[in-house]
Amino acid sequence: MIKNKTLYSSIIVIIIWYLLYLFIDIKVIPSPIETITEFFELLKADLLKHLAYSIFRIFLALIISLTLGISLGIFLGLNRKYDEIISPIIYLLYPIPKISFLPVLMVIFGLGNLSKIILITLIILFQILVTTKDSIKELKKEHFYSINSMGANNIQIYKHLIIPAILPKLLTALRISIATSIAVLFFAENFATTYGIGYFIMDSWIRVNYPQMFSGILAISLLGLFIYKSIDLIENKYCKWITLEKNNRYFT
Amino acid sequence: MINVDNLKIKYNDYTAIKDINLKLNKNETCSIIGPSGCGKSTLLYSLAGILKPSEGTIKINNSYVKSNRKKTGLILQNYGLFPWKTVWENVILGLKLRKVNKKEIEIKATSILKKLNIIRLRDKYPSQLSGGQSQRVAIARTLTTEPDLLLMDEPFSSLDALTREDIQRFLLEIYNENNLTICLVTHNIEEAVFLGRKIYIMSYKGSIKKIIKNPHFGDLSLRQRKDFHSMCNDIRMILKEGDTND
C-alpha cells in the first residue's frame, strides 16, 4: 500500500516530465527544476495575483451554483408535480456545451468578471442540480417513515436525512464539474482581462517564455489539486459511511 | 389502548384496506397476518399516524391519531436505520429530535445499548452490521424514546431462522419488562402465533377475515408444544381458504 499517494504521484509525474525534457529536446518543455525555481520566483512577483483572480472567479461561481443547485434540486426532488414540468427543460439544456455561450454572455454581462463567473456557474449549476434531484429520488420511503415516526420537524428532516443523503453524490458532482470549470476558465480568461491564470499562461506563451508558461501550468494544476484535496477532506469527515460501503464492493 | 373503527384507506382510486375494526388493550399484543399486498403494512402505517384514514377513525388512548404520537415506536422491515449515522448516532436520534439534553441522552442510550448487548457496536455503521445486529439497533433506537406502543412491520423477515427466534424471544422479554403494547405485521405464521395474543388474519382484499385469540401466548417454550403447531396449521387453513373462495 502506498501511504502518501499525492507525494508518490508527484514524484512519478516529475520523473516522466524530466524524461520528456531529456529526450524531446525542444524548448517548449523546460526542465522541472528550472520551472519550479521560476515558479517560486514568480510567486514573489505577480503569479499569486493571477492565481487569486482565478480562485475568486471559481469560488464565487461555486457558491452561487451550490446555493441555487442544491435548493432547486431538493425542491424538484421532493415535488414531483413541478419536476415533471421543469426537468425536461433541464435535460434539454444539460448537454449543451455552455462555453459556446461565452460570446453571448460577454455581450450581455460585459467583458469583465461577471460574464466569466456566470459561465462557470452555468457549468457547475447543472451538474449540482441534476445530481441533487436524482439522489433525493433514490431515498427510500422507509427513511422518511422512520424519521417522521420519531416526530422530526422539517429542519430536522433536512439535517438528519436529506443533506447527509445527498452529500456523497454532491461531492462527486463537484469533482467532475470543477475540473471542467477550471478548463473553461482557462479559456475564458483569454478574453478581455489581464489577470487570471489563463491569461498568464497564454501571455507567457506569446512571449515565448516557456519556463514561465510552465510555472503557470504548475499553478493551475496546484489549484485543481487543492480543490480536489479539500473535497476529499470533506468526504472523509462527513461521508465515512460511503467509504465503508465501497469496501464491501467486488472491485475495490 | 388502540381502537380502530371502520377504517378505510385509499391511494387515489385504489382501496388498500376497508372495514377494519381492531381493538387492542394496554399491555396486549396482536399480530396481523395476511398475503402480500393485502394492506397489512398500510394498516400499521395508519396506526403510526403516517397515513391518514380516508374513512373511519383511529383512536389511541381515547384520542384521535392525526400525526405521529410521541409514545408510539415504529420499527420497519429493513430497520429504517440511516446508513450515514453510526449505531450510536442512530440510537440517539429519537432523543436528539426531542431535544433531550446531552447528559440524559448519554445515560439512557448507554444503558439500552448495554441491555441489548450491542454496546461494542456503538461506532460501527449499519453497513458493517449483520441482520440480527441491525435489528437490535433498530429496537434500541425505538426503546430510547420509551414508547408504550410498539408497531413493527415484518421486522424479522430478513433474518435467518435461529437469529429470528432469538430476537423474537428477546422481544417478549422486553415486552414483559416494559409493559409494552405491541402490534406486529408479519407474513410468517409461526411468528404471528409466537408473538400475538390476538391474531388478525387479513384477506387479500384488504379486510379482516378472522380474529383468533391465542391462549398460549407468552410461553417462551411454545415452539416445542403440540398446540403451537396445530394453531399454526389452523391459521394456514384460514389463509388458504381465501385463495379458493375468492
Side-chain angles (χ1 to χ4, degrees):
Chain A
M1 272 298 282
I2 294 156
K3 275 194 177 153
N4 193 331
K5 287 183 183 160
T6 316
L7 184 69
Y8 154 79
S9 46
S10 308
I11 291 169
I12 296 288
V13 168
I14 289 174
I15 290 173
I16 294 171
W17 178 4
Y18 192 70
L19 289 175
L20 285 173
Y21 158 74
L22 280 183
F23 291 107
I24 308 174
D25 193 14
I26 48 171
K27 277 190 170 167
V28 77
I29 304 177
S31 95
I33 301 151
E34 189 189 355
T35 308
I36 292 167
T37 330
E38 176 83 9
F39 174 76
F40 284 106
E41 283 302 311
L42 284 167
L43 273 187
K44 287 179 208 154
D46 59 351
L47 180 57
L48 218 52
K49 198 168 176 186
H50 287 286
L51 204 54
Y53 265 87
S54 298
I55 291 175
F56 162 73
R57 287 168 187 145
I58 287 185
F59 271 82
L60 205 63
L62 249 181
I63 291 166
I64 300 170
S65 35
L66 278 175
T67 318
L68 284 178
I70 293 175
S71 38
L72 193 58
I74 290 177
F75 175 75
L76 293 180
L78 294 177
N79 296 284
R80 192 189 289 181
K81 224 168 58 188
Y82 292 98
D83 186 38
E84 273 174 13
I85 302 169
I86 296 171
S87 278
I89 306 168
I90 294 172
Y91 279 107
L92 187 72
L93 295 175
Y94 184 47
I96 296 175
K98 314 294 175 297
I99 192 164
S100 54
F101 289 109
L102 183 61
V104 183
L105 293 175
M106 282 167 102
V107 170
I108 301 173
F109 298 105
L111 299 171
N113 275 325
L114 189 62
S115 56
K116 295 177 179 58
I117 290 167
I118 289 178
L119 176 66
I120 303 170
T121 305
L122 283 178
I123 294 169
I124 307 179
L125 174 69
F126 275 88
Q127 196 95 39
I128 300 291
L129 172 60
V130 172
T131 311
T132 307
K133 185 170 77 78
D134 287 347
S135 44
I136 292 228
K137 285 190 163 172
E138 276 174 26
L139 277 176
K140 297 195 176 78
K141 64 179 184 206
E142 280 85 7
H143 287 146
F144 282 95
Y145 285 168
S146 136
I147 200 158
N148 279 332
S149 77
M150 286 186 264
N153 61 33
N154 277 341
I155 295 170
Q156 288 171 327
I157 291 175
Y158 277 94
K159 189 179 162 197
H160 295 285
L161 176 57
I162 292 176
I163 303 289
I166 62 175
L167 195 59
K169 287 204 174 131
L170 199 66
L171 294 177
T172 306
L174 267 183
R175 277 205 190 91
I176 298 166
S177 55
I178 281 178
T180 321
S181 64
I182 292 179
V184 167
L185 183 70
F186 171 80
F187 181 77
E189 280 178 345
N190 284 294
F191 299 95
T193 180
T194 47
Y195 279 105
I197 200 70
Y199 168 80
F200 181 86
I201 292 170
M202 294 310 272
D203 184 56
S204 313
W205 183 28
I206 291 163
R207 288 190 286 103
V208 212
N209 188 343
Y210 294 124
Q212 191 174 321
M213 181 181 89
F214 258 72
S215 302
I217 297 175
L218 189 62
I220 203 170
S221 311
L222 289 176
L223 171 63
L225 188 68
F226 168 73
I227 297 177
Y228 260 54
K229 285 282 159 191
S230 316
I231 295 175
D232 276 355
L233 222 68
I234 300 173
E235 193 170 52
N236 286 337
K237 183 148 197 260
Y238 295 104
C239 307
K240 223 176 147 197
W241 61 284
I242 278 288
T243 357
L244 288 170
E245 287 191 356
K246 277 181 192 159
N247 290 341
N248 276 336
R249 287 178 201 159
Y250 186 70
F251 295 103
T252 48
Chain B
M1 176 101 193
I2 304 183
N3 220 327
V4 177
D5 195 29
N6 266 325
L7 178 69
K8 183 181 196 175
I9 291 186
K10 285 164 84 176
Y11 296 110
N12 300 321
D13 287 335
Y14 172 71
T15 305
I17 50 174
K18 61 180 180 189
D19 307 323
I20 303 281
N21 290 294
L22 185 148
K23 265 194 181 73
L24 193 63
N25 293 326
K26 196 173 160 44
N27 204 11
E28 215 175 22
T29 74
C30 80
S31 341
I32 302 169
I33 189 165
S36 301
C38 72
K40 49 191 193 298
S41 297
T42 303
L43 173 56
L44 197 79
Y45 294 154
S46 66
L47 294 178
I50 293 172
L51 298 174
K52 307 266 168 304
S54 311
E55 279 171 33
T57 54
I58 304 168
K59 275 186 190 172
I60 294 178
N61 283 343
N62 289 323
S63 52
Y64 291 104
V65 174
K66 282 179 186 138
S67 58
N68 84 289
R69 185 178 155 268
K70 264 198 166 176
K71 288 254 159 200
T72 300
L74 178 67
I75 298 180
L76 297 162
Q77 199 166 359
N78 38 19
Y79 323 123
L81 297 176
F82 293 144
W84 44 86
K85 289 184 183 288
T86 60
V87 165
W88 177 257
E89 289 163 343
N90 264 299
V91 167
I92 65 169
L93 184 58
L95 295 173
K96 225 174 159 183
L97 296 177
R98 283 167 203 195
K99 307 214 161 78
V100 176
N101 72 55
K102 272 191 179 166
K103 225 176 173 179
E104 204 177 323
I105 290 182
E106 183 78 35
I107 295 167
K108 267 189 187 167
T110 310
S111 90
I112 284 173
L113 284 180
K114 275 187 183 154
K115 203 162 149 200
L116 271 75
N117 211 2
I118 45 174
I119 188 85
R120 74 204 142 85
L121 303 175
R122 73 175 265 167
D123 297 321
K124 297 246 185 252
Y125 285 86
S127 64
Q128 298 171 288
L129 305 178
S130 70
Q133 289 171 334
S134 304
Q135 189 52 269
R136 278 170 191 262
V137 175
I139 295 175
R141 173 163 81 178
T142 312
L143 290 183
T144 50
T145 55
E146 293 168 352
D148 56 8
L149 172 64
L150 211 55
L151 303 174
M152 310 179 98
D153 185 12
E154 300 197 9
F156 312 119
S157 56
S158 54
L159 302 180
D160 63 88
L162 288 178
T163 314
R164 190 191 305 146
E165 288 175 15
D166 196 37
I167 293 206
Q168 286 168 353
R169 260 197 307 274
F170 170 72
L171 184 68
L172 270 191
E173 281 168 30
I174 296 175
Y175 160 77
N176 287 325
E177 280 171 32
N178 297 282
N179 272 331
L180 286 170
T181 308
I182 296 180
C183 190
L184 169 104
V185 159
T186 179
H187 57 235
N188 181 315
I189 297 174
E190 296 183 355
E191 185 166 290
V193 175
F194 190 71
L195 291 173
R197 183 182 290 278
K198 271 185 191 168
I199 302 163
Y200 284 81
I201 303 173
M202 286 181 77
S203 75
Y204 77 93
K205 282 177 166 174
S207 53
I208 289 167
K209 193 149 68 172
K210 195 154 191 176
I211 306 166
I212 294 181
K213 285 202 173 137
N214 177 6
H216 312 302
F217 170 78
D219 183 352
L220 287 173
S221 58
L222 186 59
R223 279 200 174 80
Q224 278 87 48
R225 286 171 53 172
K226 259 190 182 165
D227 305 342
F228 177 75
H229 297 285
S230 66
M231 194 160 186
C232 289
N233 261 335
D234 291 348
I235 294 176
R236 197 167 283 120
M237 293 311 288
I238 298 169
L239 279 168
K240 272 192 181 162
E241 249 169 46
D243 295 345
T244 46
N245 286 353
D246 291 315

